[in-house]
Amino acid sequence: MRTKLKLTVYLIAGLLFGLTANAQKTVIKKEALPGNAQTFLKTHFGSKKPSYILEDKEILSTEYKVQFDNKIEIEFDKKGNWKEVDAKTGKVPKSIIPKKIASYIKSNFPKEDVTKIEIESSGYETKLTNGLELKFNMKGDFIKIDK
């Protein structure tokens, strides 16, 4: 009985390793991004040229990562919808931040800028220059502060 259990565990582990080992990251040109991603970049970053664009293909998903010289990094899903904008030490362009969230931050943290914004299934998560992480629902209503 133990032998069958071990064999099953090894088989599952091998399959999982095989699936993840099949992931491929390749450098692509801006024109190879999905249309939504191209529009997003043009709208919020104008004619700035990315330092690189990666396509990360896995068996069940594809993601794109775009990085600019100023270290701003943007992640897109397979359809080209943005998932995360991380400005590292800079600030996220205000045009990306939903108006209701921007208004809340301006009212409650007037001296802070957003350094990262992420959209998740439950809503938005933002990180401010002071290190606070704020969570909002999909409508942009404030939920809580994480630290």
Side-chain angles (χ1 to χ4, degrees):
M1 185 71 171
R2 285 185 155 224
T3 307
K4 284 184 180 180
L5 180 61
K6 280 183 181 179
L7 184 60
T8 304
V9 169
Y10 291 140
L11 182 62
I12 291 172
L15 283 172
L16 289 175
F17 179 75
L19 290 176
T20 57
N22 200 18
Q24 285 186 311
K25 290 184 181 184
T26 52
V27 176
I28 62 170
K29 294 191 181 289
K30 195 175 183 179
E31 296 76 30
L33 284 170
N36 289 344
Q38 290 183 41
T39 302
F40 180 89
L41 293 176
K42 188 174 186 178
T43 301
H44 301 290
F45 296 94
S47 60
K48 289 183 185 171
K49 293 199 184 262
S51 51
Y52 68 81
I53 301 173
L54 290 179
E55 179 181 53
D56 186 4
K57 276 192 173 187
E58 295 187 16
I59 298 242
L60 301 174
S61 68
T62 300
E63 292 183 343
Y64 301 92
K65 193 174 282 189
V66 177
Q67 182 160 340
F68 289 93
D69 290 335
N70 60 1
K71 302 296 182 216
I72 290 181
E73 190 174 271
I74 306 144
E75 290 184 21
F76 296 97
D77 65 15
K78 68 180 174 185
K79 294 180 181 175
N81 300 313
W82 72 273
K83 294 172 36 174
E84 180 180 303
V85 179
D86 190 349
K88 310 287 183 209
T89 57
K91 60 183 178 179
V92 171
K94 292 185 189 303
S95 58
I96 295 172
I97 304 165
K99 287 182 175 137
K100 196 167 184 180
I101 293 173
S103 177
Y104 178 86
I105 292 170
K106 186 176 180 180
S107 297
N108 294 283
F109 303 95
K111 295 180 181 179
E112 305 303 326
D113 288 313
V114 175
T115 60
K116 181 177 179 180
I117 185 165
E118 186 174 354
I119 188 166
E120 301 169 336
S121 58
S122 60
Y124 296 89
E125 185 174 310
T126 62
K127 187 172 184 178
L128 305 179
T129 46
N130 64 5
L132 287 178
E133 292 181 7
L134 310 178
K135 290 199 177 234
F136 299 86
N137 65 18
M138 290 305 276
K139 294 179 183 175
D141 298 319
F142 175 74
I143 298 174
K144 68 179 182 174
I145 295 176
D146 272 355
K147 176 108 178 160

